[in-house]
Amino acid sequence: DTEVTQTPKHLVMGMTNKKSLKCEQHMGHRAMYWYKQKAKKPPELMFVYSYEKLSINESVPSRFSPECPNSSLLNLHLHALQPEDSALYLCASSQVRGGNQPQHFGDGTRLSIL
Amino acid sequence: AQKITQTQPGMFVQEKEAVTLDCTYDTSDPSYGLFWYKQPSSGEMIFLIYQGSYDQQNATEGRYSLNFQKARKSANLVISASQLGDSAMYFCAMREAQSGSARQLTFGSGTQLTVLP
């Protein structure tokens, strides 16, 4: 079992729908991340939160809206997505400092846009 | 230029044998860390092993060891006594100190390992 929990595991939505992906960790980590991963490719960083504040947005389209309501939770709000947004979305967390500490990943949400 | 290069898109190994997955990196930062992750078809990224740029010894974690050659900028993962459950995608990743306070990672393109019975 992973220490980072993502829900839902699978999501199918139409291009006009609004949905949210959720991520939760209880390891006391104060950095949290969203990644997008296409099949057979490495994860691509989307957003980084550090101490509940957005510190990095990798030029992600506004149809993706992140939210960090507290130190344990990270959401990704989805609206008006495109078919090319179909991918595996991974959440990760880590200590903010401590160079030898890895990012811990969840199982991901497999998103399909119809 | 790519910061992390994994030149083996796919590798096959016989069960119980050892296999080496290659990773080379490029950085001008004297302080950096190298990570290996395993990603089964289920999707989860599983942390395997870490090597810091100032570490004097090669990292080992159970059946995983890292052949770290700093001058050559390589950090190859060695898996000993391969098991069928080792079949997965393996990613090498680097974190540079200059990436800031958040622990950003740069990933390589990955190597798909298949263990044959």
Side-chain angles (χ1 to χ4, degrees):
Chain A
D1 288 342
T2 62
E3 296 169 312
V4 177
T5 304
Q6 289 188 243
T7 55
K9 292 194 181 304
H10 301 274
L11 179 62
V12 179
M13 57 187 287
M15 289 190 285
T16 58
N17 292 156
K18 286 185 179 181
K19 296 285 184 183
S20 297
L21 309 185
K22 296 186 184 302
C23 175
E24 187 170 4
Q25 58 88 15
H26 294 287
M27 292 179 284
H29 292 163
R30 301 300 296 276
M32 296 188 77
Y33 311 78
W34 279 116
Y35 290 88
K36 173 184 178 181
Q37 187 180 24
K38 291 285 206 178
K40 306 293 186 186
K41 298 291 186 182
E44 300 172 16
L45 184 66
M46 300 175 71
F47 302 104
V48 180
Y49 274 83
S50 181
Y51 298 108
E52 296 86 67
K53 294 190 187 309
L54 183 65
S55 60
I56 294 172
N57 176 341
E58 292 285 1
S59 303
V60 179
S62 60
R63 57 186 184 267
F64 295 92
S65 175
E67 178 196 20
C68 190
N70 60 55
S71 60
S72 300
L73 293 174
L74 185 66
N75 299 321
L76 186 63
H77 303 297
L78 315 173
H79 173 56
L81 294 194
Q82 303 298 307
E84 61 266 25
D85 297 324
S86 296
L88 178 68
Y89 287 83
L90 291 163
C91 173
S93 71
S94 74
Q95 294 182 8
V96 174
R97 303 195 186 280
N100 63 344
Q101 297 303 307
Q103 290 185 17
H104 295 258
F105 286 80
D107 289 344
T109 294
R110 292 192 186 275
L111 176 65
S112 297
I113 307 300
L114 301 179
Chain B
Q2 285 196 339
K3 289 201 169 187
I4 296 282
T5 302
Q6 295 180 254
T7 58
Q8 306 153 315
M11 287 281 286
F12 292 88
V13 65
Q14 208 68 41
E15 193 178 7
K16 298 180 186 177
E17 295 193 345
V19 63
T20 298
L21 306 184
D22 294 342
C23 173
T24 58
Y25 59 92
D26 183 28
T27 181
S28 57
D29 194 333
S31 178
Y32 55 89
L34 297 157
F35 301 81
W36 276 92
Y37 285 86
K38 170 186 178 182
Q39 188 176 39
S41 57
S42 57
E44 181 196 355
M45 295 279 282
I46 302 167
F47 166 68
L48 297 177
I49 196 167
Y50 166 83
Q51 181 83 46
S53 58
Y54 295 118
D55 293 343
Q56 295 298 311
Q57 293 187 325
N58 287 344
T60 60
E61 287 287 348
R63 294 187 298 111
Y64 304 108
S65 61
L66 217 152
N67 183 359
F68 181 47
Q69 298 187 51
K70 193 171 181 177
R72 294 187 177 184
K73 294 189 175 178
S74 73
N76 298 338
L77 177 69
V78 180
I79 306 174
S80 63
S82 297
Q83 302 172 357
L84 295 177
D86 293 334
S87 293
M89 181 73 92
Y90 288 80
F91 290 101
C92 179
M94 178 171 64
R95 179 197 53 76
E96 298 164 283
Q98 65 191 14
S99 66
S101 58
R103 305 289 95 191
Q104 288 187 71
L105 293 176
T106 302
F107 286 90
S109 55
T111 295
Q112 180 69 47
L113 176 67
T114 302
V115 180
L116 303 171

